[in-house]
Amino acid sequence: MNAIVENASGPADLALVAEWLAAQILTPPDTAMVEAARARSAQDVLDGFGALLARQEEIDRLRHLMTDGAATEVAAALQRRHTTLFEGIFHQRCLPPYASVWDGTGRLCGPAVGRMQAILRRLDVHLVDDCSEMPDHLGIQLAALAEAMRQERADVVEDVLAELHWVGRFADALIKADGDGFYGTLAALLLALLVVEFPGVGRQQDIRLHGQEWAGIAVGT
């Protein structure tokens, strides 16, 4: 699905899962990425993710979606779906993956942008020149979480998790919009990562997803 999976080795860890999810949300896969995701080594890494998050069913679903058809056709379909869900021209059908849209600000470029810029500086990382996304994009927040875990910066991990308090509402909407599709399945894995592995994130509330009760991440505190 991307170079993170293709090149990964050894046991899966939470930082790797966060980084992989970030990559899927930031950029839809091209044909080469789909082909790489079909390799045995990539499948083994995904199985490791499923075991770590106790979500093998979702991993198996992703595997089916990535192998059901020619790689060119799969890539094209996922690219169209990524555009429709995250960049669509119809506001009521689009789910912008930015904290500022979901955290109560209700518009792009809210205060979350500045807070995430400060977090990136604390980690001594910066966005690459060709990255057009704002720092409060979900993919960038997850990448920052992964980097903070790798640097063993517990204080920064805590602050990034606080910035992710909006994700429960977003993931719920994404699952409703995409169901068992690629991005709906990613949303379920995202909840497994943030809610199950970091149960203290944000103010907890119950949200119903696919007939299950999840301890969801609330909007606001």
Side-chain angles (χ1 to χ4, degrees), residues 84-152:
T84 298
L85 288 169
F86 304 137
E87 306 171 23
I89 61 174
F90 299 106
H91 178 70
Q92 66 272 24
R93 301 179 188 176
C94 183
L95 303 171
Y98 300 96
S100 296
V101 176
W102 297 86
D103 67 359
T105 303
R107 59 176 175 82
L108 293 174
C109 300
V113 171
R115 294 195 301 269
M116 280 305 303
Q117 287 174 330
I119 286 173
L120 295 176
R121 286 194 295 269
R122 289 165 63 191
L123 292 171
D124 195 24
V125 298
H126 65 276
L127 301 181
V128 295
D129 292 339
D130 61 353
C131 179
S132 60
E133 300 296 354
M134 290 175 286
D136 68 333
H137 188 287
L138 175 57
I140 294 172
Q141 289 186 320
L142 289 171
L145 177 63
E147 181 62 22
M149 285 191 283
R150 288 204 174 98
Q151 292 187 20
E152 299 183 352

Side-chain angles (χ1 to χ4, degrees), residues 6-213:
E6 181 183 0
N7 296 330
S9 61
D13 58 35
L14 294 180
L16 183 60
V17 174
E19 192 173 47
W20 176 77
L21 285 169
Q24 311 315 309
I25 295 167
L26 277 165
T27 307
D30 58 22
T31 300
M33 293 175 181
V34 172
E35 290 175 342
R38 298 179 176 190
R40 182 68 262 171
S41 58
Q43 295 299 313
D44 289 344
V45 173
L46 289 179
D47 284 337
F49 292 171
L52 185 65
L53 300 177
R55 284 286 175 257
Q56 191 60 47
E57 180 180 349
E58 284 82 357
I59 293 298
D60 290 342
R61 191 184 307 146
L62 286 181
R63 178 180 292 111
H64 172 73
L65 291 168
M66 294 297 289
T67 57
D68 187 22
T72 53
E73 296 173 354
V74 171
L78 292 178
Q79 289 165 6
R80 288 193 299 269
R81 194 64 180 144
H82 187 278
T83 299
T84 298
L85 288 169
F86 304 137
E87 306 171 23
I89 61 174
F90 299 106
H91 178 70
Q92 66 272 24
R93 301 179 188 176
C94 183
L95 303 171
Y98 300 96
S100 296
V101 176
W102 297 86
D103 67 359
T105 303
R107 59 176 175 82
L108 293 174
C109 300
V113 171
R115 294 195 301 269
M116 280 305 303
Q117 287 174 330
I119 286 173
L120 295 176
R121 286 194 295 269
R122 289 165 63 191
L123 292 171
D124 195 24
V125 298
H126 65 276
L127 301 181
V128 295
D129 292 339
D130 61 353
C131 179
S132 60
E133 300 296 354
M134 290 175 286
D136 68 333
H137 188 287
L138 175 57
I140 294 172
Q141 289 186 320
L142 289 171
L145 177 63
E147 181 62 22
M149 285 191 283
R150 288 204 174 98
Q151 292 187 20
E152 299 183 352
R153 295 284 304 276
D155 57 329
V156 183
V157 169
E158 182 177 356
D159 288 345
V160 176
L161 290 173
E163 292 297 328
L164 287 163
H165 64 80
W166 60 279
V167 169
R169 184 180 172 196
F170 170 79
D172 188 21
L174 185 53
I175 290 174
K176 289 177 181 177
D178 200 45
D180 288 340
F182 183 81
Y183 293 101
T185 303
L186 287 182
L189 292 173
L190 175 62
L191 285 174
L193 171 67
L194 294 179
V195 176
V196 177
E197 299 297 338
F198 301 100
V201 179
R203 177 171 55 82
Q204 301 296 310
Q205 66 177 8
D206 287 335
I207 55 177
R208 186 175 295 276
L209 299 175
H210 288 209
Q212 300 182 62
E213 289 293 338

